[in-house]
Amino acid sequence: MVNNLSELLSEYPLLDKIRHYQPIYWQNPDFGKNAQLPLSRADVFDAAARFERFAPYFEVAFPETVQSKGILESPLIDISDMQTKLTDLSGKPIPGNLYLKADSMLPISGSIKSRGGIYEVLKFAEKIALQKTNLTYMDDYSVLASPRFHKLFSNYGIMVGSTGNLGLSIGIAAASFGFKTTVHMSVDARQWKKDLLRKHGVTVVEYDNDVSYAIAEGRKEAAKDPKIHFIDDESSRDLFLGYSVAGIRVQKQLKDLGIKPSKENPVFVYLPAGVGGSPSGVSFGLETIMPEGIYPVFAEPDHVTSVTVGMMTKLYDKIAVADLGLDGKTAADGLAVPRSSKIAGRIMDTLLWGSESFEDDDIYRYLTLLEDTEGIKVEPSAAAGFTAIYPTIKRFSDPKALSRATHIVWATGGNLVPEEEMNRYYQHGKELLAVKK
Ligand SMILES: *Cc1c(COP(=O)(O)O)cnc(C)c1O
């Protein structure tokens, strides 16, 4: 609980708008300043190399990855029909070109959590295999899918607290190795995610409370057994680095499109933020690999602006949205995180260009428009990036650079959502669009 609320309110006037659930835009005054970061380019490449070593494992354990040779990556898609539609609807053009980074199509979890969540499972599996067997870094890691290793891994456990997708990615990946896996789920978690995990043999513990609580309970439970590894969404360096590998992959995807980010050719990246780990890890990776021309913007529900509030006040995880009187409720289940990560915001101090908040109705409008124009289905949280485009354009002061801008909306999840549920989202968006805003 913060004890100097009135001081904070006078120092940061935006907090008052936030308190009244009004959409806000925060432009980070420290963007682009020099800073000593606790992680480096070498850490990003180390994580990328680990993913490479495990590629033969994925090909065996998850045949859906054979096509990509065991690499978990998503396409960067030109969505100019969506761009035209948005211009028609708003009467305002979006200068530059619009793309979708379709993490909704990532193998295994159908969400951005196939980056961070799965990476930390790999790291743990590799550590045990190196300690307990004669595995070497040069070996073909498909051997880890054999019964011998499955038996070894079944002596160990993995635990995590989650609103859904993190649990889903870790649960499915960890179970494939044979780890005893437990996911502590918050009240926002969708039923189908729990059902799917149980089908994979994962133990699901349900709480009638928010994700901070579920994480705390999981952490306590895991601490009782040294053979259990707890994946901590609030403070894990490995999760963060798993996300950061996107920087290397996107550099190449941009090159293939003829795009080289620079001050004259800015690349805006719009990312939904929950605890802040995935958007920060991705942004860190992009800016580490491409030090010029990347402008990350976070999007948060106006009822759960935890990352924005933490970064703006520099209190980070020491302030929760309840401290401002917010109810923390949102239909974007992946973003229902009342308190931000301990590490993400601090690392983003000089890397984040801005952040904004949106009302839930807007993400349904955008997910319906995306399906109508491009035939791409995403879950509500994953459409949040669209809400940041116009407010960002409005504040970017270089019109010449803006006319050459690349806008990347990071669509963070969706492919595993059951069809009827997706249809309900779509219908809801249709109804909202039918009523003029
Ligand atoms: C997890 C998630 C996010 C946000 O990631 P954080 O690391 O919690 O900030 C956004 N969208 C979807 C679909 C997610 O699953």
Side-chain angles (χ1 to χ4, degrees):
M1 190 74 196
V2 294
N3 52 17
N4 55 342
L5 188 59
S6 54
E7 258 171 63
L8 286 176
L9 286 170
S10 64
E11 192 168 351
Y12 305 101
L14 273 182
L15 290 180
D16 199 50
K17 281 185 135 182
I18 290 174
R19 257 153 56 96
H20 295 94
Y21 299 115
Q22 289 168 13
I24 55 103
Y25 199 100
W26 175 64
Q27 219 174 308
N28 180 10
D30 296 326
F31 173 77
K33 290 189 179 159
N34 274 329
Q36 198 62 40
L37 298 178
L39 297 169
S40 72
R41 183 182 286 242
D43 295 310
V44 180
F45 281 109
D46 177 55
R50 187 163 289 106
F51 267 121
E52 294 269 338
R53 290 197 288 281
F54 274 90
Y57 172 82
F58 284 118
E59 285 196 66
V60 173
F62 297 96
E64 54 175 311
T65 68
V66 168
Q67 214 188 352
S68 61
K69 299 198 164 56
I71 296 298
L72 316 181
E73 196 42 75
S74 71
L76 181 60
I77 305 169
D78 179 320
I79 50 168
S80 42
D81 288 348
M82 176 73 167
Q83 185 173 5
T84 306
K85 183 78 187 173
L86 296 179
T87 300
D88 290 348
L89 281 178
S90 68
K92 289 178 284 189
I94 299 172
N97 295 304
L98 183 60
Y99 293 88
L100 191 77
K101 180 58 177 162
D103 273 8
S104 51
M105 302 176 187
L106 274 178
I108 303 179
S109 76
S111 85
I112 194 167
K113 303 304 190 307
S114 283
R115 301 184 186 279
I118 290 180
Y119 176 72
E120 188 155 345
V121 173
L122 302 186
K123 186 143 187 218
F124 184 57
E126 187 179 54
K127 185 178 119 189
I128 291 169
L130 288 166
Q131 273 174 2
K132 303 288 176 188
T133 76
N134 63 358
L135 183 83
T136 72
Y137 290 116
M138 290 293 284
D139 287 341
D140 179 334
Y141 277 23
S142 61
V143 68
L144 298 176
S146 66
R148 174 166 73 99
F149 279 94
H150 209 272
K151 188 154 167 274
L152 168 68
F153 293 136
S154 70
N155 296 313
Y156 296 85
I158 286 186
M159 271 194 199
V160 64
S162 168
T163 63
N165 285 345
L166 185 65
L168 211 54
S169 74
I170 288 170
I172 295 171
S176 80
F177 284 100
F179 289 119
K180 286 193 293 276
T181 311
T182 306
V183 176
H184 298 260
M185 285 277 202
S186 64
V187 63
D188 342 82
R190 303 279 151 107
Q191 189 59 44
W192 68 265
K193 294 183 181 174
K194 300 174 198 167
D195 296 342
L196 184 59
L197 279 172
R198 289 185 172 122
K199 230 175 69 190
H200 281 266
V202 172
T203 304
V204 177
V205 186
E206 300 177 52
Y207 297 95
D208 192 18
N209 209 323
D210 65 35
V211 70
S212 302
Y213 184 87
I215 291 174
E217 287 299 301
R219 194 186 285 127
K220 254 193 297 191
E221 197 54 38
K224 294 177 188 161
D225 184 345
K227 285 190 159 171
I228 294 180
H229 178 67
F230 184 66
I231 297 183
D232 198 328
D233 203 15
E234 290 180 331
S235 61
S236 166
R237 182 179 178 275
D238 289 329
L239 264 179
F240 189 91
L241 288 171
Y243 294 122
S244 77
V245 172
I248 300 175
R249 311 270 181 78
V250 169
Q251 183 189 35
K252 174 72 163 74
Q253 291 183 321
L254 286 172
K255 179 188 174 181
D256 291 345
L257 293 164
I259 299 165
K260 187 171 167 68
S262 67
K263 286 202 174 66
E264 295 73 35
N265 299 281
V267 173
F268 295 94
V269 189
Y270 306 104
L271 296 134
V275 78
S278 76
S280 303
V282 165
S283 301
F284 168 77
L286 290 167
E287 289 178 86
T288 301
I289 299 301
M290 297 171 279
E292 202 190 292
I294 302 285
Y295 298 85
V297 179
F298 289 176
E300 291 192 292
D302 54 9
H303 286 233
V304 206
T305 50
S306 43
V307 177
T308 306
V309 164
M311 289 188 66
M312 183 194 308
T313 60
K314 298 207 191 290
L315 290 170
Y316 309 102
D317 59 303
K318 301 286 186 282
I319 185 168
V321 293
D323 294 332
L324 297 171
L326 299 185
D327 62 15
K329 291 202 188 327
T330 175
D333 50 330
L335 312 183
V337 185
R339 187 185 291 281
S340 74
S341 149
K342 290 181 178 59
I343 64 169
R346 289 180 171 90
I347 295 177
M348 287 306 288
D349 241 350
T350 56
L351 300 178
L352 183 72
W353 196 73
S355 72
E356 57 93 51
S357 69
F358 58 85
E359 45 182 283
D360 281 0
D361 282 355
D362 279 341
I363 54 181
Y364 288 99
R365 291 187 180 98
Y366 282 116
L367 78 80
T368 298
L369 290 171
L370 185 66
E371 186 171 343
D372 283 347
T373 55
E374 305 284 346
I376 299 170
K377 301 179 186 195
V378 302
E379 62 186 274
S381 304
F386 284 106
T387 68
I389 301 173
Y390 283 113
T392 299
I393 290 171
K394 206 168 100 183
R395 285 163 180 89
F396 198 73
S397 57
D398 183 345
K400 194 152 166 236
L402 204 52
S403 69
R404 287 194 294 260
T406 301
H407 304 273
I408 300 177
V409 172
W410 212 282
T412 44
N415 266 18
L416 255 45
V417 177
E419 201 175 329
E420 311 127 63
E421 186 129 346
M422 195 59 96
N423 287 341
R424 274 202 298 279
Y425 299 155
Y426 175 84
Q427 280 310 328
H428 186 47
K430 264 280 184 245
E431 284 155 24
L432 289 165
L433 284 164
V435 187
K436 244 203 149 31
K437 216 187 151 182

